[in-house]
Coordinates of all heavy atoms in Angstrom, one line a residue:
M4 N 243.8 136.1 161.5 CA 243.3 135.5 160.2 C 242.0 134.7 160.5 O 241.1 134.7 159.6 CB 244.4 134.7 159.7 CG 244.4 134.5 158.2 SD 244.4 136.1 157.4 CE 244.7 135.7 155.8
V5 N 241.9 134.1 161.6 CA 240.7 133.4 161.9 C 239.5 134.3 161.9 O 238.4 133.9 161.5 CB 240.9 132.6 163.3 CG1 239.6 132.0 163.7 CG2 242.0 131.6 163.2
A6 N 239.6 135.5 162.4 CA 238.5 136.4 162.5 C 237.9 136.7 161.1 O 236.7 136.8 160.9 CB 238.9 137.7 163.2
Y7 N 238.8 136.8 160.1 CA 238.3 137.0 158.7 C 237.6 135.8 158.2 O 236.6 136.0 157.5 CB 239.5 137.4 157.8 CG 240.1 138.7 158.2 CD1 241.4 138.8 158.9 CD2 239.4 139.9 157.9 CE1 241.9 140.0 159.2 CE2 240.0 141.2 158.3 CZ 241.2 141.2 158.9 OH 241.7 142.4 159.3
A8 N 238.1 134.6 158.6 CA 237.4 133.4 158.2 C 236.0 133.4 158.8 O 235.0 133.0 158.1 CB 238.2 132.2 158.5
L9 N 235.9 133.8 160.0 CA 234.6 133.9 160.7 C 233.6 134.8 160.0 O 232.4 134.5 159.8 CB 234.7 134.3 162.2 CG 235.5 133.3 163.1 CD1 235.7 134.0 164.4 CD2 234.7 132.0 163.2
I10 N 234.1 135.9 159.5 CA 233.3 136.9 158.7 C 232.8 136.2 157.5 O 231.6 136.3 157.1 CB 234.0 138.2 158.4 CG1 234.4 138.9 159.7 CG2 233.2 139.0 157.5 CD1 235.3 140.1 159.5
G11 N 233.7 135.5 156.8 CA 233.3 134.8 155.5 C 232.3 133.8 155.7 O 231.3 133.7 155.0
I12 N 232.4 133.0 156.8 CA 231.4 131.9 157.1 C 230.1 132.6 157.5 O 229.0 132.1 157.1 CB 232.0 131.0 158.2 CG1 233.2 130.2 157.6 CG2 230.9 129.9 158.5 CD1 234.0 129.5 158.7
A13 N 230.2 133.7 158.2 CA 229.0 134.4 158.7 C 228.2 134.9 157.4 O 227.0 134.9 157.4 CB 229.3 135.5 159.6
V14 N 228.9 135.4 156.4 CA 228.3 135.9 155.2 C 227.6 134.7 154.5 O 226.4 134.9 154.1 CB 229.4 136.5 154.3 CG1 228.8 136.7 152.9 CG2 229.9 137.8 154.8
V15 N 228.2 133.6 154.4 CA 227.6 132.4 153.8 C 226.3 132.0 154.6 O 225.3 131.7 154.0 CB 228.6 131.3 153.6 CG1 227.9 130.0 153.2 CG2 229.7 131.7 152.6
A16 N 226.5 132.0 155.9 CA 225.3 131.6 156.8 C 224.2 132.6 156.6 O 223.0 132.2 156.5 CB 225.7 131.6 158.2
E17 N 224.5 133.9 156.5 CA 223.4 134.9 156.3 C 222.7 134.7 154.9 O 221.5 134.8 154.8 CB 224.0 136.3 156.4 CG 222.9 137.4 156.2 CD 223.5 138.7 155.9 OE1 224.7 138.9 155.8 OE2 222.7 139.7 155.8
V18 N 223.5 134.5 153.9 CA 222.9 134.3 152.6 C 222.1 133.0 152.6 O 221.0 133.0 151.9 CB 224.0 134.3 151.5 CG1 223.5 133.9 150.1 CG2 224.7 135.6 151.4
F19 N 222.5 132.0 153.3 CA 221.7 130.8 153.4 C 220.4 131.1 154.1 O 219.3 130.7 153.6 CB 222.5 129.7 154.2 CG 221.6 128.5 154.6 CD1 221.4 127.5 153.6 CD2 221.1 128.4 155.8 CE1 220.6 126.4 153.9 CE2 220.3 127.3 156.1 CZ 220.1 126.3 155.2
G20 N 220.4 131.9 155.2 CA 219.2 132.3 155.8 C 218.3 133.1 154.9 O 217.1 132.9 154.9
D21 N 218.9 134.0 154.1 CA 218.1 134.8 153.2 C 217.4 133.9 152.2 O 216.2 134.1 151.8 CB 219.0 135.8 152.4 CG 219.6 136.8 153.3 OD1 219.1 137.1 154.4 OD2 220.6 137.4 152.9
S22 N 218.2 132.9 151.7 CA 217.6 132.0 150.7 C 216.5 131.1 151.3 O 215.5 130.9 150.6 CB 218.7 131.1 150.1 OG 219.6 131.9 149.4
M23 N 216.7 130.7 152.5 CA 215.6 129.9 153.2 C 214.4 130.8 153.4 O 213.3 130.3 153.3 CB 216.2 129.4 154.5 CG 217.2 128.3 154.3 SD 216.6 126.8 153.5 CE 217.2 127.0 151.9
M24 N 214.6 132.1 153.7 CA 213.5 133.0 153.9 C 212.7 133.1 152.6 O 211.4 133.1 152.6 CB 213.9 134.4 154.3 CG 212.8 135.3 154.7 SD 213.3 137.0 155.2 CE 214.7 136.7 156.3
K25 N 213.4 133.2 151.5 CA 212.7 133.2 150.2 C 211.9 131.9 150.0 O 210.7 131.9 149.5 CB 213.7 133.4 149.1 CG 213.2 133.2 147.7 CD 212.8 134.6 147.1 CE 212.5 134.5 145.6 NZ 211.7 135.5 145.2
L26 N 212.5 130.8 150.3 CA 211.8 129.5 150.2 C 210.6 129.3 151.1 O 209.7 128.5 150.9 CB 212.8 128.3 150.4 CG 213.7 127.9 149.3 CD1 214.7 126.9 149.7 CD2 212.9 127.4 148.1
S27 N 210.6 130.0 152.2 CA 209.6 129.8 153.2 C 208.2 130.4 152.8 O 207.2 130.1 153.4 CB 210.0 130.5 154.6 OG 209.8 131.9 154.5
N28 N 208.2 131.1 151.7 CA 207.0 131.6 151.1 C 206.2 132.4 152.2 O 205.1 132.2 152.5 CB 206.1 130.5 150.6 CG 205.0 130.9 149.7 OD1 205.1 132.0 149.1 ND2 203.9 130.2 149.7
G29 N 206.9 133.5 152.7 CA 206.2 134.3 153.7 C 206.0 133.6 155.0 O 205.1 133.9 155.7
F30 N 207.0 132.8 155.4 CA 206.9 132.0 156.6 C 205.8 131.0 156.6 O 205.4 130.5 157.7 CB 206.9 132.9 157.8 CG 208.2 133.7 158.0 CD1 208.1 135.1 158.3 CD2 209.4 133.2 157.8 CE1 209.2 135.8 158.4 CE2 210.6 133.9 158.0 CZ 210.5 135.3 158.3
Q31 N 205.3 130.6 155.5 CA 204.2 129.6 155.4 C 204.8 128.2 155.5 O 204.1 127.3 156.0 CB 203.4 129.8 154.1 CG 202.7 131.1 154.0 CD 201.7 131.4 155.1 OE1 200.9 130.5 155.4 NE2 201.8 132.5 155.8
R32 N 206.0 128.0 154.9 CA 206.6 126.7 154.9 C 207.6 126.6 156.1 O 208.4 127.5 156.3 CB 207.3 126.5 153.6 CG 206.4 126.5 152.4 CD 207.0 126.4 151.1 NE 207.7 125.1 151.0 CZ 208.9 124.9 150.3 NH1 209.4 125.9 149.6 NH2 209.4 123.7 150.3
K33 N 207.4 125.6 156.9 CA 208.1 125.6 158.2 C 209.5 125.2 158.1 O 210.4 125.7 158.8 CB 207.3 124.6 159.2 CG 205.9 125.0 159.5 CD 205.8 126.5 159.9 CE 204.4 126.9 160.1 NZ 204.2 128.3 160.0
L34 N 209.9 124.2 157.3 CA 211.3 123.7 157.2 C 212.2 124.8 156.7 O 213.3 125.1 157.4 CB 211.4 122.5 156.3 CG 212.8 121.8 156.4 CD1 213.1 121.4 157.8 CD2 212.8 120.6 155.5
P35 N 211.9 125.6 155.7 CA 212.7 126.7 155.4 C 212.8 127.8 156.5 O 213.8 128.5 156.6 CB 212.1 127.3 154.1 CG 211.4 126.2 153.5 CD 210.9 125.4 154.7
L36 N 211.7 127.9 157.2 CA 211.7 128.9 158.3 C 212.8 128.5 159.4 O 213.5 129.3 159.9 CB 210.4 128.9 159.0 CG 210.2 129.8 160.3 CD1 210.6 131.2 160.0 CD2 208.8 129.7 160.8
V37 N 212.9 127.2 159.6 CA 214.0 126.7 160.5 C 215.4 127.0 159.9 O 216.3 127.4 160.7 CB 213.8 125.2 160.8 CG1 215.0 124.6 161.5 CG2 212.5 124.9 161.5
G38 N 215.5 126.9 158.6 CA 216.8 127.2 158.0 C 217.1 128.7 158.1 O 218.2 129.1 158.3
T39 N 216.1 129.5 158.0 CA 216.2 131.0 158.2 C 216.8 131.3 159.6 O 217.8 132.0 159.7 CB 214.9 131.7 158.0 OG1 214.4 131.4 156.7 CG2 215.1 133.2 158.2
V40 N 216.2 130.7 160.6 CA 216.6 131.0 162.0 C 218.0 130.5 162.2 O 218.8 131.1 162.8 CB 215.6 130.3 163.0 CG1 216.1 130.4 164.4 CG2 214.2 131.0 162.9
L41 N 218.3 129.3 161.7 CA 219.6 128.7 161.9 C 220.7 129.5 161.1 O 221.8 129.8 161.7 CB 219.7 127.3 161.3 CG 219.1 126.2 162.2 CD1 219.1 124.8 161.5 CD2 219.8 126.1 163.5
G42 N 220.4 129.9 159.9 CA 221.3 130.7 159.1 C 221.7 132.0 159.8 O 222.8 132.4 160.0
Y43 N 220.6 132.8 160.3 CA 220.9 134.0 160.9 C 221.5 133.8 162.3 O 222.4 134.6 162.7 CB 219.6 134.8 161.1 CG 219.2 135.5 159.8 CD1 217.9 135.3 159.3 CD2 220.0 136.4 159.2 CE1 217.5 135.9 158.1 CE2 219.6 137.0 158.0 CZ 218.4 136.8 157.5 OH 218.0 137.4 156.3
G44 N 221.1 132.8 163.0 CA 221.7 132.5 164.3 C 223.2 132.3 164.2 O 224.0 132.8 165.0
I45 N 223.6 131.4 163.3 CA 225.0 131.1 163.0 C 225.8 132.4 162.6 O 226.9 132.7 163.1 CB 225.2 130.0 162.0 CG1 224.7 128.7 162.6 CG2 226.6 129.9 161.5 CD1 224.5 127.6 161.5
A46 N 225.2 133.2 161.7 CA 225.8 134.4 161.2 C 226.1 135.4 162.4 O 227.2 135.9 162.5 CB 224.9 135.1 160.2
F47 N 225.1 135.6 163.2 CA 225.2 136.6 164.3 C 226.3 136.0 165.4 O 227.1 136.8 165.9 CB 223.9 136.8 165.1 CG 223.1 137.9 164.4 CD1 222.0 137.5 163.5 CD2 223.3 139.2 164.5 CE1 221.2 138.4 162.9 CE2 222.6 140.2 163.8 CZ 221.5 139.8 163.0
Y48 N 226.3 134.7 165.6 CA 227.2 134.2 166.5 C 228.6 134.4 166.0 O 229.5 134.8 166.8 CB 226.9 132.7 166.8 CG 227.9 132.0 167.7 CD1 228.0 132.3 169.0 CD2 228.8 131.1 167.2 CE1 228.9 131.7 169.9 CE2 229.8 130.5 168.0 CZ 229.8 130.8 169.3 OH 230.7 130.2 170.1
L49 N 228.9 134.1 164.8 CA 230.2 134.2 164.2 C 230.7 135.6 164.1 O 231.9 135.9 164.3 CB 230.3 133.5 162.8 CG 230.0 132.0 162.8 CD1 230.0 131.4 161.4 CD2 231.1 131.3 163.7
I50 N 229.8 136.5 163.8 CA 230.1 138.0 163.8 C 230.5 138.4 165.2 O 231.5 139.2 165.4 CB 229.0 138.8 163.2 CG1 228.9 138.6 161.7 CG2 229.2 140.3 163.6 CD1 230.2 139.0 161.0
A51 N 229.8 137.9 166.2 CA 230.1 138.3 167.6 C 231.5 137.8 167.9 O 232.3 138.5 168.6 CB 229.1 137.7 168.6
L52 N 231.9 136.6 167.5 CA 233.3 136.1 167.7 C 234.3 136.9 167.0 O 235.4 137.2 167.5 CB 233.4 134.6 167.3 CG 232.5 133.6 168.1 CD1 232.7 132.2 167.5 CD2 232.9 133.6 169.5
A53 N 234.0 137.3 165.7 CA 235.0 138.1 165.0 C 235.2 139.5 165.6 O 236.3 140.0 165.6 CB 234.5 138.3 163.5
L54 N 234.1 140.0 166.2 CA 234.2 141.3 166.9 C 235.1 141.3 168.2 O 235.5 142.4 168.7 CB 232.8 141.9 167.2 CG 232.0 142.4 166.0 CD1 230.6 142.6 166.4 CD2 232.7 143.6 165.4
E55 N 235.4 140.1 168.7 CA 236.3 140.0 169.8 C 237.8 140.4 169.3 O 238.6 140.8 170.2 CB 236.4 138.6 170.4 CG 235.1 138.2 171.0 CD 235.1 136.8 171.6 OE1 236.0 136.0 171.2 OE2 234.2 136.4 172.3
H56 N 238.0 140.4 168.0 CA 239.4 140.6 167.6 C 239.5 141.8 166.6 O 240.6 142.2 166.3 CB 239.9 139.3 166.9 CG 239.8 138.1 167.7 ND1 240.7 137.9 168.8 CD2 238.9 137.1 167.8 CE1 240.4 136.7 169.4 NE2 239.3 136.3 168.8
L57 N 238.4 142.2 166.0 CA 238.5 143.2 165.0 C 237.5 144.4 165.3 O 236.5 144.2 166.1 CB 238.1 142.6 163.6 CG 239.0 141.5 163.1 CD1 238.3 140.9 161.9 CD2 240.4 142.1 162.7
P58 N 237.8 145.6 164.8 CA 236.9 146.7 165.1 C 235.5 146.6 164.4 O 235.4 146.0 163.4 CB 237.6 147.9 164.6 CG 238.7 147.4 163.7 CD 238.9 146.0 164.0
L59 N 234.5 147.2 165.1 CA 233.1 147.1 164.6 C 232.9 147.6 163.2 O 232.2 146.9 162.4 CB 232.2 147.8 165.6 CG 230.7 147.9 165.3 CD1 230.1 146.5 165.2 CD2 230.0 148.8 166.2
G60 N 233.3 148.8 162.9 CA 233.0 149.4 161.6 C 233.4 148.5 160.4 O 232.5 148.2 159.6
P61 N 234.7 148.1 160.3 CA 235.1 147.3 159.1 C 234.4 145.9 159.1 O 234.1 145.4 158.1 CB 236.6 147.1 159.3 CG 237.0 148.3 160.1 CD 235.8 148.6 161.0
V62 N 234.2 145.3 160.3 CA 233.5 144.0 160.4 C 232.1 144.1 159.9 O 231.7 143.3 159.0 CB 233.6 143.4 161.8 CG1 232.6 142.2 161.9 CG2 235.0 143.1 162.2
Y63 N 231.4 145.1 160.4 CA 230.0 145.2 159.9 C 229.9 145.6 158.5 O 229.1 145.0 157.7 CB 229.3 146.3 160.8 CG 227.8 146.3 160.5 CD1 227.0 145.3 161.0 CD2 227.2 147.3 159.8 CE1 225.6 145.3 160.7 CE2 225.9 147.3 159.6 CZ 225.1 146.3 160.0 OH 223.7 146.3 159.8
A64 N 230.8 146.4 158.0 CA 230.8 146.8 156.6 C 231.1 145.6 155.7 O 230.4 145.4 154.7 CB 231.9 147.9 156.3
A65 N 232.1 144.8 156.1 CA 232.4 143.6 155.3 C 231.2 142.6 155.3 O 230.9 142.0 154.3 CB 233.7 142.9 155.9
W66 N 230.7 142.4 156.5 CA 229.6 141.4 156.6 C 228.4 141.8 155.8 O 227.9 141.0 155.0 CB 229.2 141.3 158.1 CG 228.1 140.3 158.4 CD1 227.8 139.1 157.8 CD2 227.1 140.5 159.4 NE1 226.7 138.5 158.4 CE2 226.2 139.4 159.3 CE3 226.8 141.5 160.3 CZ2 225.2 139.2 160.2 CZ3 225.7 141.3 161.2 CH2 224.9 140.2 161.1
T67 N 228.0 143.0 155.9 CA 226.8 143.5 155.2 C 227.1 143.6 153.7 O 226.3 143.2 152.9 CB 226.2 144.8 155.8 OG1 227.2 145.8 155.8 CG2 225.7 144.6 157.2
G68 N 228.2 144.2 153.4 CA 228.5 144.5 152.0 C 228.7 143.2 151.2 O 228.1 143.0 150.1
L69 N 229.5 142.3 151.8 CA 229.7 141.0 151.1 C 228.4 140.2 151.1 O 228.1 139.4 150.1 CB 230.8 140.2 151.7 CG 232.2 140.9 151.6 CD1 233.2 140.1 152.4 CD2 232.6 141.0 150.2
G70 N 227.6 140.3 152.2 CA 226.3 139.6 152.2 C 225.4 140.1 151.1 O 224.7 139.3 150.4
I71 N 225.3 141.4 150.9 CA 224.5 142.0 149.8 C 225.0 141.5 148.5 O 224.2 141.1 147.6 CB 224.5 143.5 149.9 CG1 223.8 144.1 151.1 CG2 224.0 144.2 148.6 CD1 224.0 145.5 151.4
A72 N 226.3 141.5 148.3 CA 226.8 141.1 147.0 C 226.5 139.6 146.7 O 226.0 139.3 145.6 CB 228.3 141.3 147.0
L73 N 226.8 138.8 147.7 CA 226.5 137.4 147.5 C 225.0 137.1 147.3 O 224.6 136.2 146.5 CB 227.1 136.5 148.6 CG 227.1 135.0 148.5 CD1 227.7 134.6 147.1 CD2 227.8 134.3 149.6
T74 N 224.2 137.8 148.1 CA 222.7 137.6 148.0 C 222.3 138.0 146.6 O 221.4 137.3 146.0 CB 222.0 138.4 149.1 OG1 222.4 137.9 150.3 CG2 220.5 138.2 148.9
A75 N 222.8 139.1 146.1 CA 222.4 139.5 144.7 C 222.9 138.5 143.7 O 222.1 138.2 142.7 CB 223.1 140.9 144.4
I76 N 224.0 137.9 143.8 CA 224.5 136.9 142.9 C 223.6 135.6 143.0 O 223.2 135.1 142.0 CB 226.0 136.5 143.2 CG1 226.8 137.8 142.8 CG2 226.4 135.3 142.4 CD1 228.3 137.7 143.2
V77 N 223.3 135.2 144.2 CA 222.4 134.0 144.4 C 221.0 134.3 143.8 O 220.5 133.5 143.2 CB 222.3 133.7 145.9 CG1 221.2 132.7 146.2 CG2 223.6 133.1 146.4
G78 N 220.5 135.5 144.0 CA 219.3 135.9 143.5 C 219.3 135.8 141.9 O 218.3 135.3 141.3
A79 N 220.3 136.3 141.3 CA 220.4 136.2 139.9 C 220.6 134.8 139.4 O 219.9 134.4 138.4 CB 221.6 137.1 139.4
V80 N 221.4 134.0 140.0 CA 221.7 132.7 139.5 C 220.6 131.7 139.9 O 220.1 130.9 139.0 CB 223.1 132.2 140.1 CG1 223.3 130.7 139.7 CG2 224.2 133.0 139.5
V81 N 220.2 131.7 141.2 CA 219.3 130.6 141.7 C 217.8 131.1 141.4 O 217.0 130.2 140.9 CB 219.5 130.4 143.2 CG1 218.4 129.4 143.7 CG2 220.9 129.8 143.4
W82 N 217.5 132.3 141.7 CA 216.1 132.8 141.6 C 215.8 133.5 140.3 O 214.7 134.0 140.1 CB 215.7 133.7 142.7 CG 216.0 133.0 144.1 CD1 217.0 133.3 144.9 CD2 215.3 131.9 144.6 NE1 217.0 132.5 146.0 CE2 215.9 131.6 145.9 CE3 214.2 131.1 144.2 CZ2 215.5 130.6 146.7 CZ3 213.8 130.1 145.1 CH2 214.5 129.8 146.3
K83 N 216.8 133.6 139.4 CA 216.6 134.2 138.0 C 216.0 135.6 138.1 O 215.2 136.0 137.4 CB 215.6 133.3 137.2 CG 216.0 131.8 137.1 CD 217.3 131.6 136.4 CE 217.5 130.1 136.2 NZ 218.8 129.7 136.6
E84 N 216.6 136.3 139.1 CA 216.1 137.7 139.3 C 216.8 138.7 138.4 O 216.5 139.9 138.4 CB 216.3 138.1 140.8 CG 215.5 137.3 141.7 CD 215.7 137.6 143.2 OE1 216.7 138.3 143.5 OE2 214.9 137.1 144.0
G85 N 217.7 138.3 137.6 CA 218.3 139.2 136.6 C 219.5 139.9 137.2 O 219.7 140.1 138.4
F86 N 220.4 140.2 136.3 CA 221.7 141.0 136.7 C 222.0 141.9 135.5 O 222.1 141.4 134.4 CB 222.8 139.9 137.0 CG 223.9 140.5 137.8 CD1 223.8 140.6 139.2 CD2 225.0 141.0 137.2 CE1 224.8 141.1 140.0 CE2 226.1 141.5 138.0 CZ 226.0 141.6 139.4
N87 N 222.2 143.1 135.8 CA 222.5 144.1 134.7 C 223.7 145.0 135.2 O 224.2 144.9 136.3 CB 221.3 144.9 134.3 CG 220.7 145.6 135.5 OD1 221.4 146.1 136.4 ND2 219.4 145.7 135.5
V88 N 224.0 145.9 134.3 CA 225.1 146.8 134.6 C 224.9 147.7 135.8 O 225.8 147.9 136.6 CB 225.4 147.7 133.3 CG1 226.4 148.8 133.6 CG2 225.8 146.9 132.1
K89 N 223.7 148.1 136.0 CA 223.4 148.9 137.2 C 223.6 148.2 138.5 O 224.2 148.7 139.5 CB 221.9 149.4 137.2 CG 221.7 150.5 136.1 CD 220.2 151.0 136.2 CE 220.0 152.0 135.1 NZ 218.6 152.4 135.1
K90 N 223.2 146.9 138.5 CA 223.4 146.1 139.7 C 224.9 145.8 139.9 O 225.4 145.9 141.0 CB 222.7 144.7 139.6 CG 221.2 144.8 139.8 CD 220.5 143.5 139.8 CE 219.0 143.6 140.1 NZ 218.4 142.3 140.1
A91 N 225.6 145.6 138.8 CA 227.1 145.3 138.9 C 227.8 146.6 139.5 O 228.7 146.5 140.3 CB 227.6 145.0 137.5
L92 N 227.4 147.8 139.0 CA 228.0 149.0 139.5 C 227.7 149.2 141.0 O 228.5 149.7 141.7 CB 227.5 150.2 138.7 CG 228.1 150.3 137.2 CD1 227.4 151.4 136.5 CD2 229.6 150.5 137.2
G93 N 226.4 148.9 141.3 CA 226.0 149.1 142.8 C 226.9 148.1 143.6 O 227.3 148.5 144.7
L94 N 227.0 146.9 143.2 CA 227.8 145.9 144.0 C 229.3 146.4 144.0 O 229.9 146.3 145.1 CB 227.7 144.6 143.4 CG 226.3 143.9 143.5 CD1 226.3 142.6 142.8 CD2 226.0 143.7 145.0
A95 N 229.8 146.9 142.9 CA 231.2 147.4 142.9 C 231.4 148.6 143.9 O 232.4 148.6 144.6 CB 231.6 147.8 141.5
A96 N 230.4 149.4 144.0 CA 230.4 150.6 144.9 C 230.4 150.1 146.4 O 231.1 150.6 147.2 CB 229.2 151.5 144.7
I97 N 229.6 149.0 146.7 CA 229.5 148.5 148.0 C 230.8 147.9 148.4 O 231.4 148.1 149.5 CB 228.4 147.4 148.1 CG1 227.0 148.1 148.0 CG2 228.5 146.6 149.4 CD1 225.8 147.2 147.8
I98 N 231.4 147.1 147.5 CA 232.7 146.4 147.8 C 233.8 147.4 147.9 O 234.6 147.3 148.8 CB 233.0 145.3 146.7 CG1 231.9 144.2 146.8 CG2 234.4 144.8 146.8 CD1 232.0 143.2 145.7
G99 N 233.7 148.5 147.1 CA 234.7 149.5 147.2 C 234.6 150.3 148.5 O 235.6 150.6 149.1
G100 N 233.4 150.5 149.0 CA 233.2 151.1 150.3 C 233.8 150.2 151.4 O 234.4 150.8 152.4
V101 N 233.6 149.0 151.3 CA 234.2 148.0 152.3 C 235.7 148.1 152.3 O 236.3 148.2 153.4 CB 233.7 146.6 152.1 CG1 234.5 145.6 153.0 CG2 232.2 146.5 152.3
V102 N 236.3 148.2 151.2 CA 237.7 148.3 151.0 C 238.2 149.6 151.6 O 239.2 149.6 152.4 CB 238.2 148.1 149.6 CG1 239.6 148.5 149.4 CG2 237.9 146.7 149.1
V103 N 237.6 150.7 151.4 CA 238.0 152.0 151.9 C 237.9 152.0 153.4 O 238.8 152.5 154.1 CB 237.1 153.1 151.3 CG1 237.3 154.4 152.0 CG2 237.4 153.3 149.8
L104 N 236.8 151.4 154.0 CA 236.7 151.3 155.4 C 237.8 150.5 156.0 O 238.4 150.8 157.1 CB 235.3 150.7 155.8 CG 234.2 151.7 155.9 CD1 232.9 150.9 156.0 CD2 234.3 152.7 157.0
K105 N 238.1 149.4 155.4 CA 239.2 148.5 155.9 C 240.6 149.3 155.8 O 241.4 149.1 156.7 CB 239.3 147.2 155.0 CG 240.4 146.3 155.4 CD 240.2 145.9 156.9 CE 241.4 145.0 157.3 NZ 241.8 145.1 158.7
L106 N 240.8 150.0 154.8 CA 242.1 150.7 154.7 C 242.2 151.8 155.7 O 243.3 152.2 156.1 CB 242.2 151.4 153.3 CG 242.4 150.4 152.1 CD1 242.3 151.1 150.8 CD2 243.6 149.6 152.3
G107 N 241.0 152.3 156.2 CA 241.1 153.4 157.2 C 241.4 152.9 158.6 O 241.6 153.7 159.5
V108 N 241.5 151.6 158.8 CA 241.7 151.0 160.2 C 243.2 151.0 160.4 O 244.0 150.7 159.6 CB 241.1 149.6 160.3 CG1 241.6 148.9 161.5 CG2 239.6 149.6 160.2

């Protein structure tokens, strides 16, 4: 169960890193750049820990799929990038794919 929590925290850390990258303005602003490196560093470390207990395919699928979904939600809410039916269907397909991979283990 701890390994799944590590994946969840890694997803949040990655989305934090993505958001800081957006704030960095093409790496022109230094403090958000530090946030980007920290976010990704924490995410990779936690995924490495999760991989000690779980198989690679489902872990990577969950991490990337949930990261994409949460990043899209943050983009829509925080950055006002919009959210429509096509994006919702795409996210549902990604999450469905993660579930199918998990069921195959």
Side-chain angles (χ1 to χ4, degrees):
M4 208 55 170
V5 171
Y7 293 106
L9 292 173
I10 295 169
I12 297 167
V14 167
V15 171
E17 179 193 4
V18 173
F19 173 79
D21 295 339
S22 297
M23 291 296 101
M24 190 182 310
K25 173 95 170 157
L26 280 174
S27 77
N28 193 29
F30 296 133
Q31 298 300 312
R32 299 177 60 212
K33 300 307 177 207
L34 190 57
L36 176 57
V37 171
T39 300
V40 172
L41 284 174
Y43 283 123
I45 291 168
F47 278 102
Y48 177 71
L49 294 177
I50 287 299
L52 293 179
L54 286 171
E55 292 178 349
H56 306 283
L57 298 171
L59 175 63
V62 168
Y63 189 71
W66 179 38
T67 57
L69 296 173
I71 290 167
L73 187 55
T74 300
I76 292 167
V77 167
V80 173
V81 175
W82 305 109
K83 310 293 186 228
E84 293 176 350
F86 199 83
N87 56 35
V88 174
K89 288 180 183 178
K90 285 185 180 182
L92 289 173
L94 292 176
I97 290 167
I98 293 169
V101 170
V102 170
V103 169
L104 277 171
K105 178 61 182 146
L106 292 174
V108 172

